[in-house]
Amino acid sequence: MNVERHGRPAGACLTTSLALRGDSRAIVRAMGRAGASVRRAAQVVLLGAATLMMAGHALAQTQTASSAIAASTTDTVVALPSSDTPTAIRPAAPIGQSTLTQGVAQLKERYNLSHVWLRTESDAGVGLEAATPGDDVRRLLPVASLSKSVTAIGIALLVQQGKLSLDAKLGDLLDAYSKQHGKPLDPSLRELTVRRLLAHRAGLPTNGFNDPVNGLFSGLAIRRVGGSADFFNYLDAGEAGHSSGKSDFVYSNVSYLLLGMVIEAVSGEDYKDFCEKYIFAPLGVTDAKLPESWRLLAPFAGWQMSTGALLKVWRVFDIRRPSLLTENTLRTLLLDKRSGPVNADRNVYYTLGVFMLPGAGERSYRISHDGIADFFRTQSTYYTVVEKTVPGDSWALVVSPIPSRGQFGALQRDVRRIIRQARLVP
């Protein structure tokens, strides 16, 4: 760095003083022959001139020093530490799309992906998004199990409105509904409560290849029941409408399929219409849809939306900025620890269609969920993951095809690293 010195020429002050002294002698000699009053007047003028000259010189020095200071401040250099972990400089500011775009390219290459969509929003609402070349960042994508958060918000709205109790039992909620649909409710389901279904503690069949209603077998179940089927027909076709009665955590799509039935039974409206009218419309979400071929998967895996729409839906879970759900509802349902952690050795809970990790304070937490869309062998497969930290950033990622399960954790860590870099001051 070149440093320019600003200062006076050597002897500048002395030269000015000598010049002033010489001029004063000449004036005194010229006035020696004048009268006393004239001499006194001349001395006053001479003294005033000297004072003005010295003041002007002092002002010039001050201006020079100020210019030097201004130059040094405008050329301020911010040095980042030479370590592997970037350190954010506060206040942090987004640096644009370039970092996120480069990160998407890295993810594509590192995990052998064909398509990547990534969006992040800061706590202040500043958004950045990028996708692989040729892919629209606003494309509607299968979000798979992220659909559970939509269903959970619908249940929470009904609880908030006083139309539903968390301790209400399926036998009471679905008796008339099941008769209307011509399918009796299995006796093992009658004692299950809404609270147990929300937390995956209803003893229902787990996901995987042993459960025909989930995974790749959903396509088979849909073909069995045909296009005019309802949730009850689908439950029957999958042979999953029974409970073991156990209350330990077992992740099951069937829990949220049943909650979709509860929404229809309590509200008297079609599940799709209810979500569009009471969730998406108030939130201003226009880029979400439920394709007809995915309709029977709707409550647990059917919705398609953009990454921007996903994050807009998840803003509902911010207890500091209540929107659809009040602070009291979020405290009662989202931050509910009554059911216990999903594992004895982890402080993670499943509530309202999300995994919740409590933070240091009662208004601090991280929620997350991922989803696998591999229901139809003839279609592309997708992996979706969303994470929201309160307070902090939120992000949504969708990739295709699905990486190996062993790569999920590394992929999520890479996304967090890319977002941290994108929020640094260059």
Side-chain angles (χ1 to χ4, degrees):
M1 177 185 295
N2 295 324
V3 179
E4 181 180 354
R5 295 182 178 275
H6 296 272
R8 60 176 174 80
C13 205
L14 179 61
T15 303
T16 302
S17 178
L18 288 175
L20 179 61
R21 191 180 307 168
D23 290 343
S24 64
R25 287 185 187 131
I27 294 172
V28 170
R29 284 196 302 272
M31 298 301 297
R33 294 181 295 274
S37 61
V38 177
R39 286 198 299 272
R40 282 194 297 273
Q43 288 172 351
V44 171
V45 172
L46 180 62
L47 180 60
T51 303
L52 288 174
M53 291 180 66
M54 294 301 292
H57 178 68
L59 178 61
Q61 286 184 315
T62 302
Q63 291 174 337
T64 301
S66 299
S67 300
I69 293 172
S72 66
T73 55
T74 55
D75 291 337
T76 300
V77 175
V78 179
L80 295 178
S82 56
S83 63
D84 294 334
T85 304
T87 302
I89 301 173
R90 301 300 182 200
I95 65 172
Q97 298 297 318
S98 59
T99 301
L100 214 65
T101 300
Q102 293 172 6
V104 163
Q106 293 172 1
L107 295 176
K108 180 179 184 294
E109 180 178 359
R110 183 170 300 171
Y111 296 97
N112 195 29
L113 302 169
S114 300
H115 307 278
V116 180
W117 294 266
L118 176 60
R119 178 177 175 84
T120 177
E121 294 178 359
S122 71
D123 203 26
V126 179
L128 296 171
E129 59 186 1
T132 40
D135 290 322
D136 187 351
V137 294
R138 295 165 296 181
R139 179 175 170 180
L140 275 58
L141 302 159
V143 299
S145 285
L146 274 299
S147 301
K148 293 181 176 68
S149 60
V150 177
T151 300
I153 291 172
I155 292 291
L157 281 173
L158 293 174
V159 172
Q160 183 171 277
Q161 295 165 2
K163 298 178 180 179
L164 180 64
S165 167
L166 290 174
D167 296 318
K169 297 178 180 180
L170 284 186
D172 299 326
L173 295 171
L174 298 182
D175 262 352
Y177 179 84
S178 61
K179 292 176 181 177
Q180 177 186 350
H181 288 76
K183 173 67 179 177
L185 194 66
D186 188 275
S188 67
L189 304 180
R190 297 187 62 83
E191 296 301 310
L192 298 180
T193 64
V194 172
R195 190 189 303 275
R196 289 178 64 183
L197 292 170
L198 282 171
H200 289 300
R201 294 179 179 274
L204 294 166
T206 185
N207 296 0
F209 294 104
N210 62 331
D211 180 4
V213 81
N214 303 299
L216 294 174
F217 292 93
S218 280
L220 175 60
I222 289 174
R223 288 194 295 272
R224 285 178 180 174
V225 298
S228 61
D230 55 35
F231 295 152
F232 262 108
N233 299 135
Y234 181 54
L235 191 67
D236 185 46
E239 300 177 356
H242 59 275
S243 170
S244 67
K246 296 181 179 179
S247 60
D248 51 329
F249 176 82
V250 177
Y251 186 89
S252 174
N253 286 341
V254 182
S255 288
Y256 277 74
L257 180 66
L258 290 168
L259 288 172
M261 298 180 193
V262 170
I263 288 176
E264 290 193 337
V266 174
S267 70
E269 300 194 42
D270 175 78
Y271 171 84
K272 175 177 179 292
D273 294 340
F274 178 91
C275 293
E276 290 176 343
K277 185 186 300 185
Y278 299 108
I279 300 176
F280 295 138
L283 293 176
V285 173
T286 57
D287 44 350
K289 70 176 182 179
L290 185 59
E292 183 60 27
S293 59
W294 292 70
R295 184 175 59 85
L296 295 180
L297 314 179
F300 63 87
W303 287 105
Q304 297 186 6
M305 62 187 79
S306 67
T307 54
L310 259 177
L311 292 186
K312 192 175 290 186
V313 170
W314 274 46
R315 290 178 200 165
V316 172
F317 296 127
D318 192 336
I319 198 171
R320 303 164 306 160
R321 305 179 180 99
S323 55
L324 280 184
L325 303 181
T326 66
E327 179 175 344
N328 183 62
T329 298
L330 290 172
R331 194 175 302 282
T332 302
L333 278 74
L334 178 65
L335 304 183
D336 180 25
K337 300 181 181 179
R338 193 178 311 182
S339 299
V342 297
N343 292 318
D345 57 344
R346 295 184 62 193
N347 191 31
V348 177
Y349 302 80
Y350 196 96
T351 64
L352 278 192
V354 299
F355 289 94
M356 191 271 295
L357 174 66
E362 59 180 24
R363 295 164 66 88
S364 171
Y365 49 89
R366 172 179 289 178
I367 55 175
S368 63
H369 210 295
D370 61 0
I372 297 175
D374 60 355
F375 302 102
F376 307 99
R377 291 185 182 275
T378 58
Q379 297 183 4
S380 299
T381 61
Y382 298 85
Y383 175 69
T384 303
V385 57
V386 178
E387 181 176 279
K388 180 176 182 63
T389 304
V390 179
D393 286 357
S394 58
W395 54 267
L397 171 76
V398 183
V399 302
S400 181
I402 301 169
S404 67
R405 289 182 179 273
Q407 293 178 319
F408 289 175
L411 177 62
Q412 294 175 28
R413 287 191 294 271
D414 280 341
V415 170
R416 296 186 193 105
R417 173 183 55 81
I418 291 167
I419 292 172
R420 285 196 303 270
Q421 292 173 344
R423 298 285 180 197
L424 292 177
V425 173

